[in-house]
Amino acid sequence: MELKKNISLKEFNTFGIDVKADIFIEISSLDEMLVFLANYKKDFYNLPLLILGGGSNILFTKNFEGIVLKINTKGIDIINEDNEYIFIKAYSGEVWESFVDYCVDKAWAGIENLALIPGNIGSCPVQNIGAYGVEVKDVIYELEAVNINSGELKVFQNKMCNFGYRNSIFKNELKNQYIIHSVVFKLNKKPVFNIKYDAIKDELKAMDVITPNIKAISKAIGAIRRRKLPDTHLLGNAGSFFKNPTVSSAFFEELKVKHPNIIGYKLSESEYKLAAAYLIEACGWKGIRVGECGVHDKQALVIVNYGNAKGKDIADLAWKIKDSVYKKFNVNIEPEVNVL
Ligand code: EPU
């Protein structure tokens, strides 16, 4: 466990924002984490603490005046299996994309639709990552997390995590109270594919796949994502900047009268989820560049850093987008990205 001072965070956030952290500590094992927590209050007088995984869902608008704890605990273990399921534990510092590739390679099904999502294992439950009809909550069996105050390691069964759309207990009641240490996934040896999205069906057709398998689905998802979403290694971004907002069915009907092309998905008799990308595109933002940042030309939900944007430039652009959507549609869009 090495302590570094006044470190640039540019390579630790996928937006590529060049801010500094007063103190940067990398944690590579549970023991290191427990030693750090036992001494945190004494050694650091309770300085603000930021738990950092892959840095793929964060926008830094200023230097971090505190301790950045980069979780880098690695490992993948099979902890149980039967004829149907495999229970596989991955530690927080594993890279999500590599974990998906590993499971796809073994033909363990359940996360192939989540291929190529940036980030690490430790953050996937916090915001319940999702794409193409699958959310990670569908395959999380349980997870272990360490209480920052007491150092106690606690097991959270799936139900205890209160998962919702891009949401969990770790973003609400337990915010900043726990560090995820490992996640156990229950994957299927006899797969049931989730290919109800037209985009996946069309891609499989274009690939001449008649009987889909896990590899083909993950390849199709990869192709769709590469077309629509910028590669964080080439163009700084954090995936969708905003969440898709929920509105009442009655309000959706009103919107539909004024904006017949609006895109909404029925959630229940009383609620619809709107495609925020449509709202942003309809306000004219798609492909617009403002200085060093802009709205991606292939997916209006994604804000990109062309190279030298400051976090504040990106946040200013995001708030302008939010304002214009509110003015045109009377709908509030909220960031998915954590703005610091
Ligand atoms: N659309 C537009 N303009 C655009 C892009 C999309 O009008 O520029 C329309 C599309 O035609 C479509 C609808 O908006 O009818 C939804 O688009 P898409 O299927 O691309 O999905 P999304 O709702 O924009 C969500 C997730 C993505 C995930 C995709 C695929 C959120 C906030 N985002 O985007 O997740 O990859 O579905 O399932 O829920 C992320 O969280 O970082 C992320 C990329």
Side-chain angles (χ1 to χ4, degrees):
M1 176 167 45
E2 196 189 343
L3 183 153
K4 296 176 184 159
K5 286 194 170 158
N6 211 21
I7 282 285
S8 166
L9 295 175
K10 190 172 163 70
E11 63 174 290
F12 299 106
N13 70 100
T14 60
F15 259 126
I17 305 295
D18 195 5
V19 289
K20 288 194 165 150
D22 284 354
I23 296 175
F24 184 91
I25 299 175
E26 203 160 304
I27 295 289
S28 302
S29 67
L30 181 59
D31 282 351
E32 282 188 2
M33 196 190 294
L34 296 180
V35 168
F36 169 81
L37 291 176
N39 297 305
Y40 165 46
K41 286 182 189 154
K42 177 162 63 69
D43 292 352
F44 299 107
Y45 311 104
N46 250 344
L47 280 175
L49 187 62
L50 174 68
I51 311 300
L52 194 63
S56 60
N57 204 40
I58 198 160
L59 175 66
F60 289 106
T61 59
K62 51 183 185 293
N63 290 336
F64 190 75
E65 292 172 352
I67 307 163
V68 170
L69 205 62
K70 163 86 178 150
I71 307 299
N72 211 6
T73 310
K74 303 275 188 189
I76 297 175
D77 298 326
I78 293 169
I79 55 164
N80 203 353
E81 66 182 300
D82 56 27
N83 288 337
E84 224 171 319
Y85 296 107
I86 183 131
F87 294 80
I88 179 162
K89 179 190 262 195
Y91 292 85
S92 284
E94 288 289 338
V95 175
W96 175 259
E97 276 182 52
S98 319
F99 179 66
V100 173
D101 289 347
Y102 178 86
C103 296
V104 165
D105 224 46
K106 307 260 187 206
W108 297 330
I111 51 176
E112 59 282 358
N113 290 36
L114 307 179
L116 282 190
I117 294 185
N120 288 359
I121 291 286
S123 13
C124 78
V126 177
Q127 57 147 352
N128 182 23
I129 58 171
Y132 306 103
V134 173
E135 289 183 323
V136 79
K137 74 168 171 57
D138 305 334
V139 290
I140 288 180
Y141 179 70
E142 63 183 26
L143 59 84
E144 286 176 314
V146 180
N147 185 305
I148 292 176
N149 254 317
S150 66
E152 181 204 359
L153 188 68
K154 177 169 170 171
V155 175
F156 288 80
Q157 308 292 338
N158 181 306
K159 287 252 155 18
M160 294 160 73
C161 300
N162 290 355
F163 288 122
Y165 167 63
R166 293 299 190 276
N167 210 353
S168 75
I169 197 164
F170 304 106
K171 279 177 95 173
N172 296 288
E173 296 97 300
L174 300 185
K175 192 172 172 162
N176 297 333
Q177 289 184 42
Y178 278 88
I179 304 175
I180 314 281
H181 173 56
S182 70
V183 181
V184 176
F185 300 89
K186 181 181 174 184
L187 301 182
N188 215 321
K189 290 182 175 174
K190 294 178 187 160
V192 185
F193 301 126
N194 194 329
I195 50 173
K196 58 176 190 265
Y197 267 51
D198 286 342
I200 307 180
K201 286 187 206 142
D202 295 346
E203 197 67 34
L204 289 169
K205 211 166 155 195
M207 287 161 56
D208 286 332
V209 173
I210 294 157
T211 326
N213 59 28
I214 298 168
K215 274 197 183 137
I217 293 171
S218 135
K219 206 168 155 197
I221 301 281
I224 301 168
R225 286 188 78 89
R226 279 193 197 94
R227 266 204 308 275
K228 284 193 179 176
L229 300 166
D231 181 345
T232 53
H233 305 291
L234 305 175
L235 195 60
N237 75 92
S240 304
F241 195 93
F242 296 99
K243 289 187 274 195
N244 288 326
T246 299
V247 296
S248 71
S249 302
F251 185 57
F252 180 69
E253 293 310 324
E254 274 176 43
L255 283 171
K256 203 87 190 123
V257 173
K258 281 194 220 147
H259 311 278
N261 297 328
I262 200 161
I263 298 167
Y265 313 96
K266 194 172 182 171
L267 293 177
S268 65
E269 280 313 309
S270 59
E271 283 183 327
Y272 272 76
K273 186 182 274 183
L274 299 177
Y278 170 85
L279 306 177
I280 295 168
E281 184 173 345
C283 290
W285 286 107
K286 193 170 180 173
I288 295 292
R289 179 170 176 159
V290 184
E292 281 295 305
C293 56
V295 176
H296 190 46
D297 57 353
K298 298 192 183 69
Q299 215 320 350
L301 255 192
V302 178
I303 300 185
V304 295
N305 175 6
Y306 286 105
N308 295 309
K310 299 256 180 281
K312 194 174 169 304
D313 303 336
I314 293 177
D316 286 348
L317 173 61
W319 308 145
K320 276 189 194 134
I321 294 170
K322 182 176 160 67
D323 277 355
S324 67
V325 166
Y326 187 74
K327 282 202 182 100
K328 189 173 173 81
F329 295 100
N330 215 3
V331 171
N332 241 317
I333 52 172
E334 297 296 339
E336 184 194 350
V337 168
N338 196 3
V339 181
L340 282 187

